[in-house]
Amino acid sequence: MIRTTLGDPWLRWVRTDDSALRDLVHRPEDRMRFADASPSAMANVVITTLRAHGIVRDDLPEPEQRYAIQALLIGFSTVMADPKSVDSSDVDDQEAVLGNAVHLLLEPPTDPDDTVIAQAAETVRARFGEIRDGLLALITTGAAGTR
């Protein structure tokens, strides 16, 4: 996910919230569509859904867990964008380190049922689809609502 974001100009813009591009969208409802597509907003959708389905640990307050996962992902993406920013000479697999950190932050003590995972995945997929459809509508009709 991080490598995809860093390699795609559109996703990189959404991640960094480039003000010059953001200013092209003038209506508040259009700005909200872009805000809904931010990495933070999308991470909130995922964490909230996973918690609602009992798929992630719940011994941390949800706002703290959402903050921690976002900070973790932003930190790793920053390091992946600028590998020389930290000394990783003794680390063979940086992505495995990220996976272990996410495991410690999110995974519950027992594995969730496959049916529950499928239900949560469908909820996230549907919400992401709504976000995608809103952005596509904006792109198709233009920020001013005209073609």
Side-chain angles (χ1 to χ4, degrees), residues 14 36 44 48 51-52 58 83 94 103 123 132 135 139 141 145:
V14 170
D36 285 347
N44 287 344
T48 299
R51 285 180 68 105
D58 61 1
Q94 292 89 0
H103 165 77
T123 300
R132 178 203 59 223
L135 289 174
I139 292 166
T141 61

Side-chain angles (χ1 to χ4, degrees), residues 1-3 5-6 12 15 68-86 88 91 93-105:
M1 178 181 72
I2 292 172
R3 288 195 191 285
T5 300
L6 292 173
R12 192 176 186 103
R15 179 189 176 275
I69 195 71
Q70 290 174 46
L72 179 69
L73 294 175
I74 289 168
F76 268 87
S77 66
T78 299
V79 170
M80 290 174 83
D82 182 14
K84 294 178 183 174
S85 63
V86 297
S88 62
V91 177
D93 188 349
Q94 292 89 0
E95 288 153 353
V97 174
L98 173 59
N100 289 333
V102 170
H103 165 77
L104 292 171
L105 183 60

Side-chain angles (χ1 to χ4, degrees), residues 101-116:
V102 170
H103 165 77
L104 292 171
L105 183 60
L106 295 181
E107 290 189 25
T110 59
D111 290 337
D113 181 78
D114 289 345
T115 304
V116 175

